[in-house]
Structure formats: structure tokens, C-alpha cells
Amino acid sequence: MEQPAISVIIPTYNRKDALERCLDALRKQVLQNAKFEVLVIDDGSPEEIQPLVTKYAGSRITCIRQNQSGANAARNRGLSEARAPVVLFLNDDTIAEPDLLARHLALHDRYPEEEVAVLGCMTIHPDFAANRLSPLHHDASFAPLAGREEVDWTAFFTCNLSVKAAFLARHGQFDEALRWHEDIELGQRLAPHGLRLLYAPEALGYHWHSLDETQFLRIAEREGTALALWWKKAPDLAPVLGALGMVGPETLPPAFRHRLGDAAFATFGDAAALRLAEQVSPLAPGLSRAIWRKVFQFRKRRAIRDELSRVAS
């Protein structure tokens, strides 16, 4: 069998509907089928994904099942199985435009240096454009990148990211102990080895996920916990983690406005703030999102403190 030019690695867990849409989009790529392979790593889903993948008989789509170990372990497993010199990481809810693979590969052909990686763009799928919280998640991450041709490791987002396989084999893979910020943590470790991250907004993917209130606040808690675990692993990175919102250690005291806001939430409860956000949303959606953003940061800082207290005990 001909060696593919690019291997697509997709970790998945219990999201068959989104995964099916993801795979359908990959089957519609303008890049010739023989030039790419797709490795779906099923991270111990309660209902096996393999029966879904079998419908794509004749395509280069392989399903590999592992015991539930997290997305990072799934990505590392995919790396061990990938046959192409370039690997593309997608989430199972990334719906690729038909030319996404071709655009990634074209940039790697243009920049064959081992340290060059490519970040594609992500935005909310049009079917979910009306969701008031989704723009605070993916769109908020990519909006600051507009107009830039090259970005730093803090944008090492594995929802739409391609890397030379040899570069990862030489300098590091994903830390399987982390369950959030696991992608940019790897980007930080790759940066001293010369990582160059090109931004290709034309390599577009859509996020097929309607983010509800519970999920949004759960992200805040997972993000805070991951930052604290990252600080425990590398306390010398305190200034870097501080820029990502890490607070708690003596080297990273919270800003006065954060202390003031946290005191207010502790007194009145963040539930009251969320009720206010709900009430003002029809007339002042911007204010409503700002309140949600404040509550998100409060939950994130609380998760950091909780994890640090466990670390210290």
C-alpha cells in the first residue's frame, strides 16, 4: 500500500454523531484518497466506535480501540501507528472544509523544515451560530490570531493542527497525565527546539458542538485544574502560566480586581450573577457574555486553588 503523505489522528470518546460528521467531511476532501489515512483512536467508549467506521469500507480509515486513558494517550497511540511524515490532529467534532487536508499539506510542502507546524482555523458550525456561549470558547481562542501568519506555542491547538512526525519523535509527545491544556503544554516543550507555528486560516474547520452552560463552566474547572497540575510539574514556568490565568502560588498572587471579584462572588454567589446574565441577555447580549466570562474566570481560579490545596496537603 502506498505510503500516505499525511496521517489524520482523531481521539474520540462516546460522541458517535459528531464523529460520523467528522469522517463524512474527511471522505469529501479534494486531496486524493491515497494521499492520506485517518486513524480514529477510540478511548474506551461505552459503545464501540468500530461498527461506525466499518461503513467507510474502502477508505483509509482505521479504528483503534484502547482502554480509557484520556485524549493524550489516544493521540500518542495514533502517533505510534501513523505512517505519514506529517500528522494532522483533529478533534472528533471538527468538521473539515473539503480543502483542509490539501491546504495543510501544501504548506508543509512549501516549508519542509522539520520544526514547521501548521495551525488551521476553527469556528462555530453555522448550525450553532446562535449559541450565546460558543463564541466564548473556540472563537475566543482564534479571534486574536486574525491577520497573523505565524503564532507562538500558546496557539498549539490540536483541534486543527499538523506537525512533522519526526519532530515529535525527536522532541516529545503528549503528557498523558494532563487532561486539559495538554496541547499547548506540548507546544511549550517544543518551543525551545525551534518550533515554528504557521497560521493558515484558509485551512478551515467547524466546531460541531453546542456548548451549554454546564459544559462551559466545566471547561473552567478543568482548565484551572490543568494549570495547577502544570505548575506542579514545572514551577519555573510560573510567569508563563500566569499569562494563561494561573494564580495561587506566592509567585503568582491574584490581581486586586480578581480578589475583589472573587470576594463578591463568595458573598453573593455566582448563581446570582448567572441569573442576572440570563435576565439581561435579550437586551444586552454583550453584557450577558461579559458576566458569563467573569463567572468562568471565578470558577477557573477556584479550581486552581482547590488543586493547589491538594498539592500542598
Side-chain angles (χ1 to χ4, degrees):
M1 182 182 293
E2 179 184 351
Q3 182 187 29
I6 186 168
S7 297
V8 184
I9 298 174
I10 306 172
T12 189
Y13 176 77
N14 208 31
R15 291 204 290 194
K16 291 179 68 174
D17 176 65
L19 177 64
E20 184 170 15
R21 293 175 185 275
C22 174
L23 296 179
D24 282 342
L26 291 174
R27 287 194 69 188
K28 298 172 184 176
Q29 293 295 297
V30 298
L31 189 69
Q32 291 181 352
N33 188 55
K35 288 193 173 183
F36 71 93
E37 65 175 358
V38 180
L39 301 171
V40 177
I41 313 300
D42 176 11
D43 189 39
S45 299
E47 184 179 0
E48 288 194 34
I49 302 300
Q50 181 63 50
L52 168 63
V53 175
T54 56
K55 69 176 281 188
Y56 300 99
S59 300
R60 286 187 160 188
I61 301 177
T62 302
C63 182
I64 301 169
R65 184 173 172 84
Q66 65 178 26
N67 293 330
Q68 189 175 7
S69 307
N72 268 0
R75 293 185 184 103
N76 286 340
R77 177 65 184 276
L79 283 170
S80 70
E81 302 286 344
R83 298 187 299 117
V86 174
V87 293
L88 169 65
F89 297 102
L90 297 179
N91 286 348
D92 59 6
D93 57 1
T94 297
I95 312 302
E97 281 282 89
D99 59 352
L100 184 144
L101 295 188
R103 289 187 179 277
H104 272 276
L105 202 53
L107 271 176
H108 282 286
D109 288 342
R110 183 178 174 187
Y111 297 93
E113 298 83 3
E114 187 179 272
E115 69 275 11
V116 173
V118 177
L119 174 70
C121 185
M122 290 290 295
T123 190
I124 305 303
H125 194 281
D127 287 356
F128 299 124
N131 185 291
R132 61 182 179 176
L133 294 179
S134 293
L136 299 178
H137 184 32
H138 266 307
D139 281 6
S141 298
F142 282 88
L145 309 182
R148 300 171 61 182
E149 296 183 357
E150 189 165 341
V151 294
D152 64 21
W153 63 265
T154 58
F156 198 81
F157 304 141
T158 49
C159 50
N160 185 0
L161 175 79
S162 58
V163 192
K164 307 292 196 306
F167 188 61
L168 294 179
R170 192 185 308 274
H171 299 299
Q173 296 187 350
F174 295 93
D175 184 341
E176 298 181 11
L178 291 180
R179 298 299 177 96
W180 201 261
H181 278 325
E182 67 276 12
D183 43 7
I184 61 174
E185 188 273 340
L186 174 57
Q188 186 276 324
R189 284 189 281 118
L190 294 175
H193 300 289
L195 171 69
R196 289 187 61 200
L197 186 54
L198 306 182
Y199 183 43
E202 65 277 7
L204 180 62
Y206 293 102
H207 187 211
W208 183 268
H209 189 67
S210 183
L211 198 66
D212 64 26
E213 290 86 348
T214 300
Q215 293 167 332
F216 182 68
L217 295 177
R218 176 60 181 146
I219 289 172
E221 294 165 358
R222 294 176 67 187
E223 187 174 322
T225 299
L227 281 171
L229 290 172
W230 191 354
W231 175 82
K232 179 185 177 184
K233 172 184 174 181
D236 57 311
L237 291 177
V240 172
L241 299 180
L244 297 173
M246 174 70 185
V247 296
E250 292 182 1
T251 52
L252 291 170
F256 175 75
R257 68 181 187 279
H258 293 156
R259 293 198 299 269
L260 188 64
D262 290 353
F265 281 132
T267 301
F268 300 105
D270 55 3
L274 295 179
R275 286 195 296 270
L276 176 61
E278 183 74 25
Q279 292 168 359
V280 304
S281 181
L283 296 177
L287 175 59
S288 178
R289 286 193 295 271
I291 295 172
W292 273 100
R293 197 176 293 112
K294 292 292 186 184
V295 174
F296 182 96
Q297 295 300 329
F298 167 71
R299 294 282 185 98
K300 175 179 168 180
R301 291 192 294 270
R302 186 173 67 184
I304 290 171
R305 291 193 298 270
D306 289 347
E307 182 60 36
L308 290 176
S309 67
R310 284 191 285 271
V311 168
S313 61

